[in-house]
């Protein structure tokens, strides 16, 4: 399956993010009926992140999911957390722009960086040509890293 052009990847990445957020929130509310809020949050987060991994593999990057990619994928969430946390602090405390919309603004600012990290995890750099791949475009990590 051929890779999507970069602008299309960014658009699909953002759409997967919307689906991921809705999934997280729906699961959180569902689990909250039976679990303490922290357990509901943790379980909803883990399940939505897993779903996000598979959606991004299939629709954003058109790549085969592997264990290596799956285990590295949480780096995208860690990146997002660091950037949004710093952004909320800067917007709310340094710029004194208020707390209400700070997370939304910080999240929007985090999208490009999170996309770059996600793309790096999901599409490792290509290596020199492999036998049967005269263009040198096949990713040998995908060829050898079975899911």
């Amino acid at each position: 399956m051929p890779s999507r052009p970069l602008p299309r990847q960014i658009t699909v990445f953002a759409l997967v993010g919307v689906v991921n957020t809705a999934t997280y929130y729906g699961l959180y509310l569902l689990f909250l009926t039976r679990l303490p809020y922290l357990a509901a949050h943790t379980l909803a987060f883990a399940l939505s992140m897993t779903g996000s991994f598979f959606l991004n593999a299939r629709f954003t990057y058109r790549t085969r999911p592997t264990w290596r990619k799956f285990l590295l994928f949480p780096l995208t969430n860690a990146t997002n957390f660091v950037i949004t946390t710093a952004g909320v602090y800067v917007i709310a405390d340094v710029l004194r722009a208020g707390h209400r919309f700070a997370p939304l603004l910080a999240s929007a600012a985090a999208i490009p960086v999170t996309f770059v990290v996600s793309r790096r995890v999901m599409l490792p750099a290509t290596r020199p040509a492999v036998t049967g791949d005269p263009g040198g475009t096949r990713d040998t990590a995908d060829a050898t890293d079975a899911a």
Side-chain angles (χ1 to χ4, degrees), residues 14-37:
L15 290 172
V16 167
V18 169
V19 169
N20 183 50
T21 301
T23 300
Y24 160 79
Y25 193 60
L27 289 171
Y28 173 74
L29 293 176
L30 177 68
F31 295 147
L32 199 54
T33 62
R34 299 267 185 200
L35 300 171
Y37 78 90

Side-chain angles (χ1 to χ4, degrees), residues 129 133-138:
D133 183 27
T137 58
R138 188 166 130 203

